[in-house]
Amino acid sequence: MISKKVILTGSFGVGKTSLFNQFIYSKFSDRYLTTIGVKVNKKTLEIGGKELSMLLWDIAGEVAQDKVPTSYFLGASGVIYVCDLTRPSTYKNLDKDIEYLKGIINGGIIKIVANKSDLVSAEDIERIKSEIPLPIDTITSAKTGDNVNDLFHALGAELID
Amino acid sequence: MTNPIMTEQNNKTQSDEELLMEKLRSILLKEERQKVQRLETIVETKKNLSEKVDPIIEEHIQRLKTEFPDHYKQVVDRIVEQKIKDSSEEILNTIYPVFGQMIKKYIALQFQLLRESIDQQIKNTFSTKGVIGNIKARLFGIKTSDVIISNINKPIISEVFVIERDSGLLKGSASAVSTIDQDVVAGMLTAIKAFVEDAFDGGQQNLGMIEYDTHRIFLQNFPNYYIAVAMSGSISTTEKSNLTDRLLAFADKEINNTLFASSEESFKHISEQLEIYFIGKEIQLLT
């Protein structure tokens, strides 16, 4: 079995832990509990006949990525950067954050995810996408589960290649 | 002026009417009166009343017993919760002496066990094997009391993990107990290690030990990986040194050439060897 470390990062309150819980346990809670430090969990995926053990590190949100301890990113094969469609402050520094992450994860895959699609209309999503400085890879809703499994499976497939 | 004869006649007629009415009443209401009398007997006699009412009350009590939680649980919970909040100080005052007694009893029991253990150790010390051990200890400058105490709470290894330093990915593990997913344990240990090393600005220093109650996790760091050894009991400096020697020997012989092969065979090999080298072993016996 192949094992890969994947980091969930982004500003606080964007729904990283909700995505993590939706993917691992298929559960969503409206209660907001801030993550302290890191929470690690694992899910085994079967992709193209191969088994991938995805070790997910759900790290505490920070307004800028250079505030996150660098050591958390070491050895990561993938990073999921999550922003919140309803809060511009969570994507206004996206380009700087991604540039910073590229510098420390050494060739790993970075996925940009806009979460909370259940709270905005389809027209608003289009408008917000044009405001975000970089192209979004996936638009998700941790609450309804929309695109959550697809996101992790797509990343898993790229990690196995 | 009224005629007395007329008045007397009138009175008589009235009295006759009343008698007639009473007779009529007693004929018509005879049955009802009997019923009322029976009821009076029941209501006014405790025993009779009890015979009639008790089954009804009993039925209500039974129904209340079964249906009470459904109807009143939430209300009672709220009342109890509020009562606890309002009277936390009183509750503490009541519980404290009980806890005090429990702790006192526990400490007394532990002292008793310690005394028995020391007695046993003293007996062993004067056996042939013990005398030889003592001579050895004296030669190395170890006090007899230290030897006795160290033998009481021997450190025993329960789990060992070989973990890639940066990623926290598990490269092999062995365990004498069933714990939560070992990949997750490896990830969390790495996260804790990274947090401590970053938070306290240790530069190139490494976290070497995590302690909780009577358990500890010893961390032996290598350039690209580290080995985490979970153990119970207390560990002396000499035992720590023995363990380090054993870990270095293990790393040299079993890991260095296989770790980054990243295959299932490497994982299997490391895990099997960890089992042989460490699991269930007393650290002082590791050489």
Side-chain angles (χ1 to χ4, degrees), chain B residues 57-79:
Chain B
I57 295 174
E58 184 59 30
E59 192 191 332
H60 274 282
I61 290 171
Q62 288 308 326
R63 198 185 307 154
L64 199 63
K65 271 183 192 170
T66 54
E67 292 176 4
F68 188 85
D70 297 337
H71 295 306
Y72 304 106
K73 189 182 175 295
Q74 283 186 334
V75 181
V76 173
D77 282 354
R78 267 205 303 276
I79 294 168

Side-chain angles (χ1 to χ4, degrees), chain B residues 18-273:
Chain B
E18 274 175 10
L19 269 172
L20 274 171
M21 279 302 287
E22 185 51 39
K23 271 190 180 170
L24 189 66
R25 261 193 228 120
S26 61
I27 292 162
L28 289 174
L29 298 174
K30 189 184 172 190
E31 210 172 316
E32 272 66 29
R33 279 183 173 166
Q34 281 173 342
K35 272 186 188 171
V36 169
Q37 203 173 0
R38 272 205 308 277
L39 284 170
E40 271 177 4
T41 321
I42 291 172
V43 173
E44 284 170 9
T45 317
K46 197 179 172 186
K47 195 186 160 205
N48 293 341
L49 183 66
S50 174
E51 273 174 16
K52 293 281 176 194
V53 175
D54 281 1
I56 301 167
I57 295 174
E58 184 59 30
E59 192 191 332
H60 274 282
I61 290 171
Q62 288 308 326
R63 198 185 307 154
L64 199 63
K65 271 183 192 170
T66 54
E67 292 176 4
F68 188 85
D70 297 337
H71 295 306
Y72 304 106
K73 189 182 175 295
Q74 283 186 334
V75 181
V76 173
D77 282 354
R78 267 205 303 276
I79 294 168
V80 171
E81 203 176 308
Q82 193 56 45
K83 185 73 189 159
I84 290 171
K85 269 185 197 163
D86 294 345
S87 338
S88 53
E89 210 163 301
E90 285 92 327
I91 292 169
L92 276 177
N93 285 338
T94 315
I95 294 173
Y96 248 76
V98 181
F99 275 152
Q101 283 298 326
M102 279 167 64
I103 292 166
K104 211 173 144 187
K105 272 186 195 167
Y106 177 76
I107 291 173
L109 176 71
Q110 290 304 315
F111 266 108
Q112 178 67 25
L113 291 173
L114 183 69
R115 223 179 71 187
E116 283 168 12
S117 192
I118 289 173
D119 286 349
Q120 187 59 44
Q121 283 300 315
I122 289 168
K123 269 186 198 165
N124 294 344
T125 308
F126 293 107
S127 66
T128 319
K129 198 180 164 192
V131 171
I132 295 166
N134 265 340
I135 294 166
K136 271 190 189 171
R138 287 281 166 118
L139 279 174
F140 290 102
I142 304 164
K143 288 183 201 163
T144 311
S145 58
D146 288 347
V147 175
I148 291 172
I149 289 167
S150 73
N151 283 339
I152 292 168
N153 194 15
K154 291 173 189 170
I156 294 175
I157 297 168
S158 55
E159 287 186 272
V160 194
F161 304 87
V162 175
I163 301 164
E164 201 173 80
R165 191 185 175 92
D166 289 342
S167 66
L169 296 177
L170 191 65
K171 293 294 172 185
S173 68
S175 175
V177 289
S178 63
T179 55
I180 55 165
D181 193 298
Q182 295 185 331
D183 285 315
V184 176
V185 173
M188 276 313 295
L189 278 176
T190 310
I192 293 165
K193 212 165 118 47
F195 171 75
V196 173
E197 287 164 8
D198 274 3
F200 300 105
D201 197 20
Q204 291 304 305
Q205 295 181 67
N206 293 300
L207 179 66
M209 180 92 85
I210 299 169
E211 293 195 34
Y212 54 103
D213 287 340
T214 58
H215 291 72
R216 46 195 45 72
I217 301 169
F218 181 81
L219 305 168
Q220 179 68 49
N221 294 283
F222 295 90
N224 298 312
Y225 62 95
Y226 66 96
I227 305 178
V229 183
M231 66 185 98
S232 58
S234 58
I235 183 166
S236 67
T237 315
T238 318
E239 286 159 349
K240 218 182 268 183
S241 167
N242 277 352
L243 177 61
T244 307
D245 288 348
R246 185 72 162 173
L247 287 166
L248 293 173
F250 172 81
D252 184 41
K253 241 180 157 180
E254 311 297 342
I255 296 186
N256 287 344
N257 299 324
T258 55
L259 184 67
F260 296 101
S262 192
S263 67
E264 282 181 29
E265 276 160 34
S266 143
F267 189 94
K268 200 176 155 207
H269 171 77
I270 292 172
S271 299
E272 281 170 0
Q273 293 308 311

Side-chain angles (χ1 to χ4, degrees), chain A residues 94-96 98-99 102 112 129 131-136:
Chain A
L94 181 72
D95 44 355
K96 279 183 204 153
I98 297 295
E99 205 50 44
K102 278 181 181 166
I112 302 169
K129 270 167 80 177
E131 287 170 10
I132 297 177
L134 291 171
I136 298 294

